[in-house]
């Protein structure tokens, strides 16, 4: 399904600002659309691109013109998508670097379900273990080639770059001139979660559009509309998700991977408290088998759970962002996380994450971390 402005959750002010710029013909030729995770940045960029390309727009896309029929399936020939990719498993080492078009079928499938998805969701779709998706240098050549040709539909040519912070620096430099002086009727939409990691020369050539977190009231309305939640349930999920739609959907259903992370977190804390070296070794081997990206996500999850358990001691539910399953464990565990050990525990988890990113042997990293955790858990 295509993306209308009306499909965006909240963000009325941002949408109105962009729509006004299009209607008044004062839109910058390169926009950096940024803000917190889960706020609909990508959906806004696609809805804006659709609005530019629609042949009969009137406050939103018409949904029926020839352009909209193609946009509905994300196959419009003048709308180009760029996103991080990896080398396909069956490729030989001598093959050239991959480009987004190699994964366009997977990308369209993701968008057809929802334009609200995360980098982690994309990793799962790519079905990779330790590879780091990137936007390779070769992609820049593809973009330059596509934009050198005339518009096939006789209108705008639009390039949506999702997560430009993952662009190869050499490739990014190749785009500087065309972003600064693009061909007529060409628009770049860069959708970023970490703009600080984009090279400054690219940043300086874009106009920044800050997209805030989704307002709690808008979250409540959308949750009630899509999932038929009661006001109280929708309000609780909206409060816990903190303006992050992806987080809200995670809270609605604890995924298999999230359930596994919770189980591993509980195991770690229990074996550390029991000082069970044999079980620590078994736990470390189990986590080492997950693959680097999932190991990093596990450590992120553990750090979040430690913070949530510390906050739980203040007896203020408004400040808690945990699912029911997480709360059930934390009721008894939270007293073990306090001002004497929270920074130490968090630093151990952060250090383990740094070591995993540096490709240190995973079994050693996790076994060493679990041993150190004994001291901190007992430090009450």
């Amino acid at each position: 399904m295509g993306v209308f402005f009306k499909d965006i959750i909240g963000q009325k002010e941002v949408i109105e600002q962009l729509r006004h710029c299009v209607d008044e013909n004062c839109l910058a030729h390169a926009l950096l659309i940024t803000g917190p995770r889960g706020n609909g940045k990508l959906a806004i960029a696609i809805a804006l691109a659709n609005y530019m390309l629609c042949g009969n727009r009137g406050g939103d896309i018409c949904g029926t013109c020839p352009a909209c029929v193609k946009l509905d399936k994300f196959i419009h020939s003048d709308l180009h998508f760029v996103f991080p990719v990896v080398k396909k498993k069956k490729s030989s080492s001598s093959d050239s670097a991959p480009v987004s078009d190699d994964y366009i079928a997977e990308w369209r499938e993701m968008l057809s379900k929802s334009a609200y998805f995360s980098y982690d969701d994309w990793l799962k779709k790519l079905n990779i273990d330790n590879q780091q998706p990137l936007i390779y240098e070769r992609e820049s050549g593809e973009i330059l080639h596509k934009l050198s040709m005339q518009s096939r539909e006789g209108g705008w040519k639009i390039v949506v770059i999702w997560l430009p912070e993952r662009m190869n620096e050499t490739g990014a430099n190749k785009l500087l001139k065309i972003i600064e002086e693009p061909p007529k009727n060409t628009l770049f939409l860069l959708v970023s979660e970490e703009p600080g990691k984009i090279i400054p020369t690219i940043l300086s050539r874009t106009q920044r559009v800050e997209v805030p977190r989704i307002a709690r009231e808008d979250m409540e309305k959308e949750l009630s509309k899509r999932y038929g939640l009661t006001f109280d349930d929708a309000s609780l999920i909206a409060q816990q998700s903190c303006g992050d739609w992806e987080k809200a959907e995670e809270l609605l259903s604890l995924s298999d991977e999230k359930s596994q992370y919770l189980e591993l977190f509980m195991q770690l804390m229990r074996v550390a408290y029991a000082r069970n070296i044999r079980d620590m070794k078994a736990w470390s081997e189990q986590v080492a088998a997950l693959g680097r990206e999932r190991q990093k996500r596990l450590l992120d999850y553990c750090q979040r759970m430690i913070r949530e358990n510390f906050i739980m001691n203040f007896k203020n539910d408004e400040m808690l962002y945990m699912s029911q399953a997480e709360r059930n464990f934390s009721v008894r565990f939270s007293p073990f996380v306090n001002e004497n050990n929270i920074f130490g525990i968090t630093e151990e988890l952060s250090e383990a994450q740094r070591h995993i990113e540096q490709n240190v042997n995973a079994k050693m990293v996790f076994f060493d971390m679990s041993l150190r955790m004994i001291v901190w858990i007992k430090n009450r």
Side-chain angles (χ1 to χ4, degrees), residues 44 62 98 117 160 178 234 291 359 361:
I44 289 172
C62 70
F117 60 84
V160 176
I178 196 168
N359 290 321
N361 183 283

Side-chain angles (χ1 to χ4, degrees), residues 79 90 142 309 333:
L79 176 56
K90 294 183 180 179
E142 293 287 310
N309 274 269
F333 175 68

Side-chain angles (χ1 to χ4, degrees), residues 266-323:
M266 292 189 297
Q267 289 176 12
L268 172 61
M269 296 305 141
R270 285 167 178 161
V271 297
Y273 179 77
R275 302 188 181 192
N276 190 324
I277 305 301
R278 179 179 296 178
D279 285 352
M280 283 181 181
K281 185 173 183 295
W283 182 87
S284 303
E285 291 172 352
Q286 182 182 358
V287 175
L290 292 178
R292 186 170 61 191
E293 290 302 320
R294 293 180 70 188
Q295 289 163 7
K296 287 160 60 179
R297 294 199 293 273
L298 169 63
L299 290 166
D300 274 333
Y301 176 83
C302 290
Q303 290 175 71
R304 183 182 73 80
M305 282 296 289
I306 291 298
R307 289 193 296 270
E308 293 297 323
N309 274 269
F310 178 70
I311 292 171
M312 195 174 204
N313 293 308
F314 294 95
K315 311 296 183 184
N316 187 344
D317 283 351
E318 287 289 318
M319 299 171 63
L320 289 176
Y321 303 96
M322 289 191 286
S323 68

Side-chain angles (χ1 to χ4, degrees), residues 320-337:
L320 289 176
Y321 303 96
M322 289 191 286
S323 68
Q324 191 58 53
E326 292 168 338
R327 285 177 180 239
N328 291 342
F329 170 74
S330 299
V331 166
R332 293 188 177 182
F333 175 68
S334 57
F336 290 87
V337 183

Side-chain angles (χ1 to χ4, degrees), residues 214-223 238 241 243-245 248:
I214 301 171
R216 180 168 172 172
E217 183 178 300
D218 292 324
M219 292 281 281
E220 291 170 347
K221 289 179 181 178
E222 195 67 22
L223 287 165
S241 59
D244 181 342
W245 182 255

Side-chain angles (χ1 to χ4, degrees), residues 79-110:
L79 176 56
H80 309 289
F81 291 105
V82 175
F83 41 85
V85 294
V86 295
K87 194 169 187 177
K88 295 203 172 185
K89 293 180 180 179
K90 294 183 180 179
S91 299
S92 68
S93 58
S94 60
D95 290 342
S96 57
V99 293
S100 300
D101 283 350
D102 295 334
Y103 288 90
I104 196 64
E106 291 88 341
W107 178 257
R108 287 169 177 159
E109 186 178 346
M110 289 285 286

